[in-house]
Amino acid sequence: MQEQTLTIPFTRREISRPTGFLSWLSTVDHKRIGLLYMVTAFTFFIVAGIFALLMRLQLARPEAKFLGNDAYNQIFTMHGTTMIFLVVMPLAAGFGNYLVPLMIGARDMAFPKLNALSYWVFLFAGIFMYSSFVFGGAPNDGWFSYAPLTELTFSPGHGMDFWALGILLLTVATTLGSINFIVTILQLRAPGMTMGRVPLFPWMTLVTSFLAVFSLPSLTTAAALLLLDRLAGTHFYNVAAGGNALLWQHLFWFFGHPEVYILILPAFGIISEIVPVFSRQPLFGYKAVVLSGVAIGLLGFTVWAHHMFATGMPNAALLFFSADSFLIGVPTGIKIFAWLATMWGGRLSFKPPMLFAIGHIAMFTIGGLDGIHMAVVPVDFQVTDTYYVVSHIHYVLFGGAIFALFAGIYYWFPKFTGRMLGNTLAKWHFGLMFAGANLVFFPMHILGLLGMPRRIYTYGSDLGWDVWNFIETIGAFIVALSVLLFLINLIRSLRSRPTNQADPWDAFTLEWAASSPPQPHNFDQLPEVRSARPMWDAKYPEMADWKLGEE
Amino acid sequence: MMPETAIPGKSLGESLPTAANRKTLLEPYRLVLVIVCASESILFGTMLSAFLFTRSANEAAAAGTGQPGRLVLPVVNTVILLISLLFAGLAARSASRNNQVGLRTALWATLALGLVFLGGQAYEFIHSGMSLGGPGLGGITFALISFHGLHVIAGIILTSLILLRSYLGDFTGGKAGPMQDGAWFWVYVTAVWLVLFAALFLL
């Protein structure tokens, strides 16, 4: 190891942090808001995870009587809605809030009070949606709420009103947060940090924020028109009265497809930070990885109707959306190859963040290939709305986003808390979660091909689906056990004595220049930013990127 | 080795970038306005698409919307909105010339005309005979006009806050930034109305 002549952290002043419960309620510090987002989102993760276990218990056996159809419908709707809007998006926002200002060398986000507002609107929206359980029943028409099922005639009661209103509140929170990220990343970078030197996680956060700002309005329109249908007697989606059910699908999926890239791009950003550090090499093809993220963002707006292949679109439309969906696999493939190339020839260390990163790469590849299969229109005709799609979405969202987020938790936990998460428990967490996740989600490919539809609360015993469903339920409980191990690790680590190591992983980016945890003002000094790896340059000047020609 | 400060020659406090000492293409609040207007354009765009979607599926109902007699009130309303925009611009100019009386008068005029516009919209819709629940374009027209109206209300609230701040003396000395931002937002709201007007009354 090169002799380091620097003293890290670069923060000299010790400023007392506000303490007490009220200080958390009134905070505008991006780090605290980030932690609020993360803790709230993780709580929703546990709740939605329990819903998944309930679903799996019901589906473990054919014609089971554990959950009735109405209860099952509410649970799978809230599972999906929660995981997407109240877990993955806010976890990414939490990481973004905490880390983006640190990684670009700023003192805080551009609009700290707006930042706080985004969080509290998100929290209120989540509580509002969940209050529906007490007010006559939760939303029960699936997370993408197809019309005309969501019309008043087929969904009486207020569940779907809670859904639509909650969604509208969440679009406000996300849009405000995205605006904050865009202005922060464009205008508050440290001197010397050109856009070509911004680390991958803030870059992906920037692309994600643009995606959010341009796709959420479509969801707003869709949800607003649904509310008007349900509450004001209009007939936008009501076919019998002259409306059009496809209008909902177009409006929803025009949002819904960019949404899945909103869910995965921050995860890709996290992996792009971790893989280089634990391969001891710079990211292979920084420009290609950044541009592929931008390409995914732009192309993501043009493929929405691949969710609607079976609705009777003309052949020209089928052809276009199919070809375009193949095309969007290319930039994603570029990222996967870039990560593999980063690892190639490097000195790999399989610490917990790297384990989860590699797990992410493996599982996302499977899930991504599922998507490419379904881009073949005749294949999609067979497997749409079956468990094949459920397999795909969980490989990319659980194997992809959640694994990456856990990788991020293990990587940045020392920065947030000044303590390390235990190694042994972490490895058990990874092993059980990886095995369990594959056990739950892989057989779903088979079930989908055997014809098992989505969103059914039970199935006949003569269909041959029971063995796979039972195996999946076992897998689900293995995943649950692994999460329990993580929680035990978390609590034990939080109660241990802090070591306050500023840079435990010998990493490359600016957040490791701050103390662990960072002072309220983040930095007193910053190293000169002359490449995409400013900390590496500062610690190892003879091997600095800008000296060796890596810009 | 590592420099003492990030920018040589500057003190520690000035080294770190803040919005104040950065050279940026757009002022931060102006950038926010651009992003918000871009986002809202997608909102109105998707709603207009829904309108055109509904219209093409409802040939009979679409026939009756372009009648000249129906145009009088909407045209008058549009002119009122355009005049309010003129006053918004005058407010910005008064602020940059440190003319406090002119500023406040122009802001009051913008506010009042915006409210008249809203009233006119409500009156026009109620007396158009369109119903929300019936066949035809009543529902989507209501949706479009209401969403635009919500943005007008946002502009009115913005104008009221700026008016309040002007009474508190926040805009003395030629400080016109918020006025310009507000005026630009009002330009946007007016531009959206012009597009909606064309779609609703001229197609």
Side-chain angles (χ1 to χ4, degrees):
Chain A
M1 184 92 118
Q2 198 76 359
E3 191 202 305
Q4 292 188 38
T5 49
L6 295 170
T7 31
I8 298 161
F10 300 166
T11 325
R12 302 282 176 257
R13 286 177 291 163
E14 289 269 330
I15 290 179
S16 64
R17 298 188 180 87
T19 51
F21 179 68
L22 281 180
S23 74
W24 283 89
L25 290 183
S26 62
T27 186
V28 293
D29 181 346
H30 70 99
K31 299 181 284 297
R32 288 200 157 187
I33 293 172
L35 287 173
L36 285 172
Y37 263 111
M38 287 188 250
V39 170
T40 309
F42 202 83
T43 309
F44 278 121
F45 176 66
I46 302 293
V47 173
I50 291 174
F51 284 170
L53 292 177
L54 292 173
M55 287 157 63
R56 286 294 356 141
L57 280 173
Q58 167 62 16
L59 289 175
R61 284 246 158 277
E63 288 158 47
K65 303 260 187 303
F66 178 66
L67 290 174
N69 56 354
D70 188 45
Y72 187 85
N73 291 348
Q74 293 178 38
I75 285 177
F76 81 69
T77 302
M78 288 307 282
H79 165 80
T81 305
T82 303
M83 284 296 191
I84 288 172
F85 293 104
L86 302 176
V87 177
V88 176
M89 286 174 83
L91 264 176
F95 276 106
N97 260 307
Y98 202 115
L99 292 164
V100 164
L102 284 167
M103 291 176 90
I104 64 174
R107 194 231 176 279
D108 203 310
M109 299 279 282
F111 305 111
K113 293 197 195 86
L114 190 70
N115 205 12
L117 178 68
S118 304
Y119 169 73
W120 292 107
V121 173
F122 148 66
L123 177 66
F124 177 73
I127 294 175
F128 175 77
M129 263 204 213
Y130 269 83
S131 71
S132 60
F133 277 111
V134 198
F135 289 117
N140 56 356
D141 290 336
W143 87 270
F144 44 87
S145 300
Y146 270 12
L149 178 61
T150 47
E151 295 284 341
L152 213 50
T153 30
F154 301 112
S155 294
H158 289 297
M160 290 317 297
D161 300 320
F162 275 94
W163 188 88
L165 278 167
I167 289 288
L168 286 175
L169 283 169
L170 286 170
T171 59
V172 169
T174 309
T175 305
L176 293 177
S178 301
I179 293 174
N180 220 343
F181 278 123
I182 293 172
V183 178
T184 304
I185 294 168
L186 291 181
Q187 302 203 333
L188 295 187
R189 284 165 282 132
M193 188 177 278
T194 58
M195 287 310 293
R197 295 175 187 165
V198 169
L200 257 300
F201 180 67
W203 246 120
M204 293 300 106
T205 303
L206 180 67
V207 177
T208 303
S209 301
F210 274 109
L211 278 174
V213 152
F214 288 127
S215 68
L216 286 168
S218 191
L219 179 63
T220 306
T221 300
L225 296 186
L226 177 65
L227 275 174
L228 279 174
D229 265 18
R230 289 179 59 86
L231 302 176
T234 52
H235 298 298
F236 298 112
Y237 309 124
N238 193 342
V239 185
N244 194 324
L246 273 187
L247 178 63
W248 168 268
Q249 292 196 34
H250 280 293
L251 287 173
F252 185 85
W253 288 117
F254 188 74
F255 149 76
H257 198 81
E259 165 68 4
V260 314
Y261 297 118
I262 291 171
L263 295 172
I264 202 63
L265 282 176
F268 284 167
I270 293 175
I271 301 299
S272 299
E273 297 294 339
I274 288 174
V275 168
V277 169
F278 292 89
S279 310
R280 305 315 299 164
Q281 307 215 94
L283 180 67
F284 185 92
Y286 168 94
K287 278 202 186 76
V289 178
V290 168
L291 287 173
S292 67
V294 175
I296 289 171
L298 289 170
L299 280 172
F301 277 100
T302 60
V303 295
W304 79 92
H306 70 214
H307 300 267
M308 298 165 60
F309 279 152
T311 57
M313 294 191 299
N315 277 346
L318 292 175
L319 256 167
F320 169 75
F321 285 107
S322 173
D324 209 13
S325 304
F326 272 100
L327 189 61
I328 208 167
V330 173
T332 315
I334 288 176
K335 284 187 190 286
I336 307 266
F337 282 116
W339 296 327
L340 295 177
T342 306
M343 295 196 285
W344 190 269
R347 206 175 66 231
L348 301 181
S349 87
F350 296 99
K351 303 232 168 63
M354 187 61 159
L355 289 175
F356 279 93
I358 293 173
H360 158 99
I361 295 174
M363 292 193 79
F364 186 85
T365 301
I366 295 175
L369 287 174
D370 285 341
I372 301 292
H373 295 163
M374 292 190 289
V376 179
V377 174
V379 172
D380 188 77
F381 281 167
Q382 285 294 112
V383 303
T384 193
D385 227 47
T386 66
Y387 263 77
Y388 198 91
V389 184
V390 181
S391 179
H392 160 68
I393 62 184
H394 285 92
Y395 263 95
V396 294
L397 283 178
F398 191 85
I402 295 288
F403 265 71
L405 289 165
F406 271 116
I409 291 175
Y410 281 102
Y411 185 54
W412 281 301
F413 185 84
K415 178 55 56 184
F416 300 160
T417 63
R419 301 160 169 85
M420 305 288 287
L421 279 166
N423 221 357
T424 314
L425 274 172
K427 290 191 159 130
W428 275 97
H429 172 197
F430 170 73
L432 285 173
M433 183 170 263
F434 188 76
N438 280 289
L439 211 54
V440 194
F441 301 125
F442 196 85
M444 289 182 179
H445 289 113
I446 302 169
L447 280 174
L449 291 172
L450 288 176
M452 182 173 178
R454 296 174 75 164
R455 301 187 293 274
I456 53 172
Y457 83 108
T458 193
Y459 52 92
S461 48
D462 52 341
L463 293 161
W465 299 343
D466 25 342
V467 173
W468 299 118
N469 270 295
F470 190 76
I471 290 174
E472 288 168 10
T473 302
I474 304 216
F477 278 88
I478 294 176
V479 171
L481 175 62
S482 76
V483 174
L484 189 62
L485 291 181
F486 167 76
L487 285 171
I488 293 172
N489 198 356
L490 186 68
I491 293 169
R492 282 179 65 185
S493 305
L494 284 172
R495 294 173 74 181
S496 68
R497 235 177 318 126
T499 50
N500 297 117
Q501 280 180 280
D503 184 22
W505 310 116
D506 193 15
F508 306 151
T509 41
L510 281 179
E511 75 272 29
W512 304 102
S515 56
S516 291
Q519 292 296 316
H521 59 287
N522 292 349
F523 304 103
D524 285 312
Q525 296 159 298
L526 282 172
E528 213 182 344
V529 178
R530 296 174 74 168
S531 78
R533 298 197 299 166
M535 271 295 277
W536 169 266
D537 296 344
K539 286 185 292 186
Y540 307 108
E542 292 79 40
M543 297 193 287
D545 281 355
W546 56 268
K547 272 216 185 115
L548 301 180
E550 307 237 15
E551 272 292 319
Chain B
M1 283 300 124
M2 196 194 70
E4 251 315 299
T5 57
I7 304 173
K10 290 220 175 229
S11 70
L12 274 179
E14 285 172 304
S15 279
L16 294 178
T18 61
N21 64 20
R22 293 289 290 162
K23 258 191 63 178
T24 55
L25 195 63
L26 285 172
E27 290 301 312
Y29 287 112
R30 193 60 57 86
L31 178 58
V32 172
L33 198 63
V34 168
I35 300 169
V36 167
C37 290
S39 181
E40 299 302 274
S41 300
I42 308 277
L43 182 69
F44 286 112
T46 49
M47 212 165 269
L48 262 172
S49 307
F51 173 79
L52 294 169
F53 201 90
T54 311
R55 197 165 177 281
S56 69
N58 263 301
E59 295 303 334
T65 49
Q67 290 164 349
R70 232 194 118 207
L71 278 175
V72 174
L73 189 50
V75 167
V76 167
N77 234 9
T78 306
V79 170
I80 288 174
L81 192 62
L82 285 165
I83 296 175
S84 79
L85 178 61
L86 193 67
F87 277 109
L90 282 172
R93 206 168 68 149
S94 300
S96 63
R97 290 177 184 185
N98 205 9
N99 177 359
Q100 297 303 311
V101 173
L103 169 64
R104 284 173 207 152
T105 316
L107 286 174
W108 275 115
T110 311
L111 195 65
L113 288 169
L115 286 167
V116 170
F117 173 81
L118 280 177
Q121 291 286 79
Y123 183 86
E124 201 278 331
F125 185 78
I126 292 169
H127 289 267
S128 69
M130 285 183 162
S131 74
L132 262 60
L137 301 173
I140 190 65
T141 306
F142 175 77
L144 275 168
I145 290 180
S146 309
F147 260 76
H148 179 256
L150 284 172
H151 287 75
V152 173
I153 291 174
I156 287 173
I157 294 174
L158 197 64
T159 309
S160 310
L161 288 170
I162 293 176
L163 195 57
L164 181 66
R165 285 186 68 190
S166 75
Y167 277 106
L168 293 173
D170 279 0
F171 303 122
T172 52
K175 186 176 154 192
M179 233 70 51
Q180 286 169 350
D181 293 335
W184 278 116
F185 182 69
W186 209 236
V187 167
Y188 177 73
V189 167
T190 309
V192 169
W193 171 246
L194 291 173
V195 173
L196 292 188
F197 177 83
L200 290 172
F201 299 107
L202 299 181
L203 262 184

